[in-house]
Amino acid sequence: MAGRPKIFDEREVVEKAVDVFWTKGYETASADELLDAMGIGKGSFYLAFKGGKKELYEKSLRQYADRFDKQLLHDLSVSKDPVQLIKDFFMALADDPKSKQMKGCYIGNALVQLSDGDVDTKLIAAELLGSVESIFTDVIRKAQEEKKLKNKAKPEVLGKYLINLWNGVNVTRRSNPGYEHLREVLEMSLQVLH
Amino acid sequence: MAGRPKIFDEREVVEKAVDVFWTKGYETASADELLDAMGIGKGSFYLAFKGGKKELYEKSLRQYADRFDKQLLHDLSVSKDPVQLIKDFFMALADDPKSKQMKGCYIGNALVQLSDGDVDTKLIAAELLGSVESIFTDVIRKAQEEKKLKNKAKPEVLGKYLINLWNGVNVTRRSNPGYEHLREVLEMSLQVLH
DNA sequence: TCCTTTTTGTACTAATTAGTACATAATATC
DNA sequence: GATATTATGTACTAATTAGTACAAAAAGGA
């Protein structure tokens, strides 16, 4: 209850770190660069994040996913047609600006960018993607129960199908942002949600 | 027409480099590690690959994709049912050993692992994926013309749909190799090829 | 005011990075 | 066999990396 006061808020600086990691990638984002963006010095950083860069990255993954999930759950909760909301959510991917198209999914990137040495961090990313998947699964299960979805496939399979679509689009559009056919691919892919 | 003979074959050492880049990722694969696997010293390496690590990587992408395309085109050429061959090709992803599932697609990885500084290398990867896409597109167009494919969607859209599926699976299965539902997701995704 | 506690900024370190310089080795040609 | 040519191996460099050490600063409590 004493001592010099912190000059930064942890959530805020982690958010700044997300930006850097997202645009540069985990390996390529240097500690100096991160600290610069976060606006704190090494002294403060290594005191607050004893695990260094890796701890910062894991916290950034968790914080990002947490916010994403909360937002999605909220949007779903106020929606009259959750299945349509999911469709819209995917269709919106085709309208993102090129800069965003090139960045991919913050969590999915972790799965592909981390080397074999970072198995534990990869596991976190997998778990976080899994939680989005189960949000999808729940929406689908409920819609099926309420006879709002004709497709009788297992909700778990449809949920994984959607995450797979998400992962695919986030790689595909990197290679050709704004490609004319992306919208049609998405429409074709979402026909399973009938 | 003179001079000390090379102790290595370029295609062979590039192939060794593919292994290292694939398991470790572009950034994480160090030059020393690569040279070690390739079995040559720095002198030989920087003489043969004046562009250093980057040139090696680009050559490895091209060589890998070239072999992949040739194999696929050959398999298609001797197949009675090319559309079914593509289906089998995708379904086989579910049976890969865990080690292979974790590695993703060699070309797709490049799209996600390269930072903004390597735009030119990214473009190469995009072009190489594009050539696989056009192989798919051609097969589909032909099958439609021969009335062997009922789906009337544009071949270009179906081709991109398939590349998108490929990209998705190669990310998704990293997060949960051997996941029970992958096979069902693939079956669901391939129903467009009816 | 002085003491304790915590944070901060800076200077430093030790390791690793990609890449270069260059003397030497191995061949073909004349 | 001498010479030109190309390849090789080693020793080196310069930059960058993540992370540490530590003295000074800024607060609260006695």
Side-chain angles (χ1 to χ4, degrees):
Chain A
M1 51 202 98
R4 184 170 173 173
K6 268 203 167 68
I7 56 163
F8 65 94
D9 173 72
E10 187 168 313
R11 290 192 67 86
E12 275 174 27
V13 297
V14 168
E15 202 153 327
K16 307 266 191 191
V18 167
D19 279 344
V20 180
F21 280 130
W22 204 343
T23 49
K24 305 226 36 168
Y26 175 67
E27 290 289 342
T28 322
S30 75
D32 285 351
E33 211 170 356
L34 287 160
L35 294 197
D36 218 48
M38 294 160 81
I40 60 178
K42 294 202 161 180
S44 311
F45 176 70
Y46 284 102
L47 182 71
F49 302 86
K50 300 251 163 49
K53 189 178 167 182
K54 190 166 180 174
E55 178 184 339
L56 175 65
Y57 187 57
E58 293 185 355
K59 279 189 173 159
S60 80
L61 287 170
R62 287 222 156 84
Q63 185 167 309
Y64 176 86
D66 190 56
R67 210 155 58 104
F68 182 92
D69 286 5
K70 282 205 171 80
Q71 179 70 50
L72 179 58
L73 283 170
H74 170 262
D75 292 350
L76 286 167
S77 75
V78 300
S79 167
K80 301 274 179 196
D81 187 348
V83 172
Q84 185 59 45
L85 189 141
I86 289 178
K87 281 188 192 174
D88 294 344
F89 169 80
F90 275 95
M91 290 309 299
L93 291 174
D95 299 322
D96 278 336
K98 182 169 175 176
S99 57
K100 204 173 172 190
Q101 304 230 18
M102 291 307 286
K103 284 168 67 183
C105 163
Y106 190 59
I107 311 295
N109 288 355
L111 282 179
V112 183
Q113 285 172 356
L114 294 175
S115 56
D116 282 347
D118 307 300
V119 197
D120 39 349
T121 314
K122 263 183 172 167
L123 266 172
I124 292 172
E127 167 209 321
L128 296 173
L129 266 192
S131 99
V132 180
E133 179 181 328
S134 66
I135 293 175
F136 289 153
T137 304
D138 290 348
V139 169
I140 288 159
R141 183 181 296 109
K142 205 172 165 201
Q144 284 178 334
E145 285 166 1
E146 295 172 352
K147 312 283 183 197
K148 286 176 179 166
L149 195 67
K150 288 181 201 156
N151 190 330
K152 294 283 201 298
K154 292 179 203 161
E156 298 81 19
V157 174
L158 276 164
K160 193 157 204 76
Y161 175 97
L162 288 175
I163 278 290
N164 193 55
L165 175 60
W166 173 254
N167 287 332
V169 172
N170 275 301
V171 175
T172 304
R173 63 194 193 141
R174 288 178 104 119
S175 77
N176 223 326
Y179 188 73
E180 326 90 70
H181 291 309
L182 181 56
R183 176 172 298 277
E184 292 169 85
V185 168
L186 282 165
E187 277 163 3
M188 184 180 284
S189 302
L190 292 171
Q191 278 174 4
V192 298
L193 295 184
H194 57 194
Chain B
M1 56 213 95
R4 184 171 172 172
K6 269 203 167 69
I7 56 163
F8 66 94
D9 173 74
E10 187 168 312
R11 290 193 67 86
E12 275 174 27
V13 298
V14 168
E15 202 154 325
K16 306 267 191 189
V18 167
D19 279 345
V20 180
F21 280 130
W22 205 343
T23 50
K24 304 225 39 168
Y26 175 67
E27 289 291 341
T28 323
S30 75
D32 286 350
E33 211 169 357
L34 287 159
L35 295 197
D36 219 49
M38 293 159 82
I40 61 178
K42 294 202 161 178
S44 311
F45 177 70
Y46 283 102
L47 182 69
F49 301 86
K50 300 251 164 51
K53 189 178 166 181
K54 191 166 179 176
E55 178 184 338
L56 175 65
Y57 187 57
E58 293 185 353
K59 280 190 173 159
S60 81
L61 287 171
R62 288 223 155 87
Q63 184 167 311
Y64 176 86
D66 190 56
R67 211 155 58 103
F68 182 91
D69 286 6
K70 283 206 171 82
Q71 179 71 49
L72 179 57
L73 284 171
H74 170 262
D75 291 351
L76 285 168
S77 73
V78 300
S79 167
K80 301 276 181 197
D81 187 347
V83 172
Q84 185 59 45
L85 188 141
I86 289 178
K87 281 188 191 172
D88 294 344
F89 169 80
F90 276 95
M91 290 309 299
L93 291 173
D95 299 323
D96 278 337
K98 182 168 175 178
S99 56
K100 204 173 172 190
Q101 305 229 15
M102 292 307 284
K103 284 166 69 183
C105 162
Y106 189 58
I107 310 295
N109 288 355
L111 283 178
V112 184
Q113 286 171 355
L114 293 176
S115 57
D116 281 346
D118 307 299
V119 197
D120 39 350
T121 314
K122 262 182 172 168
L123 266 173
I124 292 173
E127 167 209 321
L128 296 173
L129 267 192
S131 97
V132 180
E133 180 181 327
S134 66
I135 292 176
F136 288 154
T137 305
D138 290 347
V139 168
I140 287 159
R141 184 181 297 110
K142 204 172 166 200
Q144 284 178 334
E145 285 167 1
E146 296 172 351
K147 313 284 182 195
K148 286 175 176 164
L149 195 66
K150 288 181 201 157
N151 190 331
K152 294 282 200 299
K154 292 181 205 159
E156 298 80 21
V157 174
L158 277 165
K160 191 155 204 80
Y161 175 97
L162 288 176
I163 278 290
N164 193 55
L165 175 60
W166 173 255
N167 287 332
V169 171
N170 274 302
V171 175
T172 305
R173 62 192 193 144
R174 287 178 105 119
S175 77
N176 223 325
Y179 189 74
E180 327 90 71
H181 291 310
L182 181 56
R183 176 172 298 277
E184 291 168 86
V185 168
L186 282 166
E187 277 162 3
M188 183 180 284
S189 302
L190 293 171
Q191 278 173 6
V192 298
L193 296 184
H194 58 196

